[in-house]
């Protein structure tokens, strides 16, 4: 199974929250100190290995990576990532506080 009903916390408490306000590509751009190029260098081999279980994956390299990096670096320059990361973390803290005020499930 890809995910079980008991293991969805990774989406509701992790990546899903980040994706909801900055999207998956900006999330990846912030998840490595050097931005999306650094992220691809660190993680693309592992992502491709896991993705092969679901069909032929596209590598995060070459023209695909260049197009992603061009967009992301225009939106979030690598030298500004520490400040953007702090902004993201501040929002995550606020969202965590708000989630604590949600009423219990019936």
């Amino acid at each position: 199974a890809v995910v079980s009903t008991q293991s969805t916390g990774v989406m509701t408490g992790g990546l899903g929250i980040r994706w909801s306000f900055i999207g998956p590509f900006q999330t990846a751009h912030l998840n490595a100190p050097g931005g999306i190029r650094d992220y691809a260098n660190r993680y693309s081999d592992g992502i491709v290995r896991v993705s092969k279980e679901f069909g032929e994956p596209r590598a995060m390299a070459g023209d695909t990576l260049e197009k992603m990096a061009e967009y992301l670096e225009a939106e979030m320059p690598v030298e500004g990532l520490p400040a953007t990361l702090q902004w993201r973390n501040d929002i995550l803290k606020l969202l965590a506080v708000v989630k604590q005020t949600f009423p219990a499930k019936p």
Side-chain angles (χ1 to χ4, degrees):
V2 174
V3 66
S4 72
T5 56
Q6 294 82 25
S7 65
T8 58
V10 69
M11 294 308 290
T12 61
L15 291 176
I17 289 175
R18 289 162 176 80
W19 290 356
S20 73
F21 70 95
I22 60 174
F25 297 116
Q26 291 182 357
T27 295
H29 192 51
L30 289 172
N31 279 347
I36 192 69
R37 295 171 201 274
D38 186 19
Y39 182 90
N41 187 51
R42 292 169 184 251
Y43 306 115
S44 64
D45 288 345
I47 291 169
V48 168
R49 271 194 311 277
V50 170
S51 298
K52 282 184 178 181
E53 295 178 22
F54 306 102
E56 191 56 39
R58 289 180 155 176
M60 193 184 309
D63 288 342
T64 301
L65 177 57
E66 288 307 311
K67 287 177 184 176
M68 291 171 61
E70 182 179 307
Y71 165 76
L72 290 165
E73 290 167 359
E75 292 289 314
M76 295 181 185
V78 172
E79 50 282 345
L81 289 182
T84 306
L85 187 60
Q86 184 60 54
W87 168 83
R88 183 208 62 191
N89 291 344
D90 291 344
I91 289 181
L92 289 172
K93 288 176 198 173
L94 291 170
L95 288 170
V97 169
V98 169
K99 277 184 78 173
Q100 291 175 355
T101 67
F102 290 176
K105 291 179 187 172

